[in-house]
C-alpha cells in the first residue's frame, strides 16, 4: 500500500496541473482528464482498465463487510476485537479474518495502482505526441 500511494499522489497532481493548464481552473479536472484518456488510450484498454479498477474496489468493499472485529491472538487464544469487545473465535475463523484483512489491503493498493498506471500512461503518450510534432 505504501508503494502505491506516492504514484497515486503524483498522478493526481499531474491531473490537477493538466486541468489548470487546459481550463484555467482546477474545477475542470474531470473533463480534462476524460479528454486526455479518450485522445491517448485505445477504447478497449480503457474498458479493460476500468473493469480491473472496479474489480479491485469491489473485492475491497466486499472483504470489509460483516467482520466481527480485528483478529488477534491473546494468551494463546484466537479472538476478534471489536472496539474493546473481545470475542473468542476458532483458528479457522481467525485465519479467515486475517485473509479478509489482507485482501482488503491488496484490493485498495491494486485500485490505486491501476489508476496510476492508466493516468501516467496517458500523460506519457500525450507528451510523446507533443515531442513528435515539435521540429
Amino acid at each position: 500500500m505504501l508503494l502505491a500511494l506516492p504514484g497515486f499522489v503524483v498522478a493526481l497532481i499531474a491531473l490537477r496541473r493538466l486541468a489548470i493548464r487546459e481550463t484555467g481552473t482546477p474545477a475542470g479536472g474531470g473533463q480534462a482528464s476524460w479528454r486526455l484518456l479518450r485522445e491517448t488510450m485505445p477504447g478497449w484498454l480503457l474498458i479493460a482498465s476500468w473493469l480491473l479498477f472496479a474489480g479491485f474496489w469491489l473485492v475491497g468493499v466486499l472483504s470489509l463487510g460483516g467482520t466481527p472485529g480485528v483478529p488477534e491472538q491473546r494468551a494463546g487464544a484466537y479472538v476478534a476485537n471489536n472496539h474493546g469487545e473481545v470475542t473468542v473465535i476458532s483458528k479457522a475463523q481467525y485465519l479467515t479474518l486475517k485473509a479478509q484483512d489482507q485482501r482488503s489491503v491488496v484490493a485498495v493498493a491494486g485500485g490505486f495502482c491501476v489508476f496510476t498506471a492508466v493516468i501516467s500512461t496517458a500523460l506519457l503518450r500525450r507528451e510523446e505526441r507533443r515531442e513528435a510534432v515539435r521540429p
Side-chain angles (χ1 to χ4, degrees):
M1 177 73 170
L2 290 177
L3 295 177
L5 201 55
F8 179 76
V9 170
V10 169
L12 286 178
I13 291 169
L15 282 176
R16 183 174 170 90
R17 290 183 66 209
L18 173 73
I20 291 171
R21 188 176 16 189
E22 288 192 2
T23 65
T25 66
Q31 293 173 348
S33 302
W34 182 242
R35 189 171 33 256
L36 169 73
L37 292 173
R38 276 194 342 244
E39 292 173 357
T40 58
M41 304 292 279
W44 66 269
L45 187 58
L46 280 177
I47 292 169
S49 64
W50 287 117
L51 287 174
L52 186 61
F53 179 80
F56 274 120
W57 282 100
L58 182 64
V59 167
V61 167
L62 291 177
S63 67
L64 292 177
T67 61
V70 178
E72 298 176 354
Q73 284 184 327
R74 290 189 181 176
Y78 298 105
V79 298
N81 185 355
N82 189 7
H83 301 289
E85 184 179 323
V86 179
T87 307
V88 177
I89 57 175
S90 69
K91 183 176 181 179
Q93 290 172 316
Y94 171 80
L95 293 175
T96 300
L97 289 174
K98 288 295 274 187
Q100 271 185 322
D101 284 349
Q102 290 172 350
R103 267 194 305 271
S104 64
V105 170
V106 169
V108 170
F112 283 145
C113 288
V114 169
F115 174 85
T116 303
V118 170
I119 296 300
S120 61
T121 300
L123 290 168
L124 289 172
R125 283 182 162 198
R126 176 179 252 186
E127 191 60 33
E128 283 178 358
R129 286 184 181 172
R130 284 187 180 166
E131 290 293 324
V133 171
R134 291 182 187 158

